[in-house]
Amino acid sequence: MSDSNQLLVRRIRNGTVIDHIQYGRAMFVLRALNITGKEGNVVTVALNVPSSKHKKKDIIKVENRFLEKDETNKLALIAPHATINIIREYRLVEKRKIVLPDSIVGIFGCPNLNCVTNSEDIKSTIDVIDKTKIVMKCRYCGRALTVNELVS
Ligand SMILES: [Zn+2]
C-alpha cells in the first residue's frame, strides 16, 4: 500500500474502514449496509483508488460507527475480498475478513418475479447451500441463484 493510500485508511478517529472493495462496488456496499448519510456520520467514499493487489479498488470510511460481524458479512457476495478495519482513537483495533453467512436476509431481491417475496411484505431470504462453490437458493421459491443475478 502506498503512503497516500495509507492516509486514506488511517485518518479516521473512530469508526469502520471498508478497504479493498472491488472497484465499482462501493455503491452496492453502501446500499447493503443501509448507509445513506442521513445518520449524520461522516461517510467518505473513495472510488478507483490505485491498488497494488487488484489495480483499482473502492474504499468506504464510516466515522463513529462500528460495524458488527453480521452486518459486514452481508458483503460476502458484493465485496468478498474486502477487509473491515475497526478504528478506535486512530488505532486499528480489529481487522476482519468477510465470511459468507449461512443465509442472507433482506439484501437482494429474488430474481424470480413470481416469488412471494416480490409481491408481499416478506424479507427475501437466500440460503447458502455450498460456501465454496457459492451455491445459493431462495428459501421461498427454491430457485437456484447466481452471484451475477443478485449483484448487478
Ligand atoms: Zn424466490
Side-chain angles (χ1 to χ4, degrees), residues 110 115 117 138 141:
C110 179
C115 181
T117 58
C138 173
C141 69

Side-chain angles (χ1 to χ4, degrees), residues 110-112 114-118 125 138-143 145:
C110 179
N112 173 9
N114 296 321
C115 181
V116 67
T117 58
N118 285 315
T125 303
C138 173
R139 185 176 293 177
Y140 291 94
C141 69
R143 175 155 164 177
L145 306 168

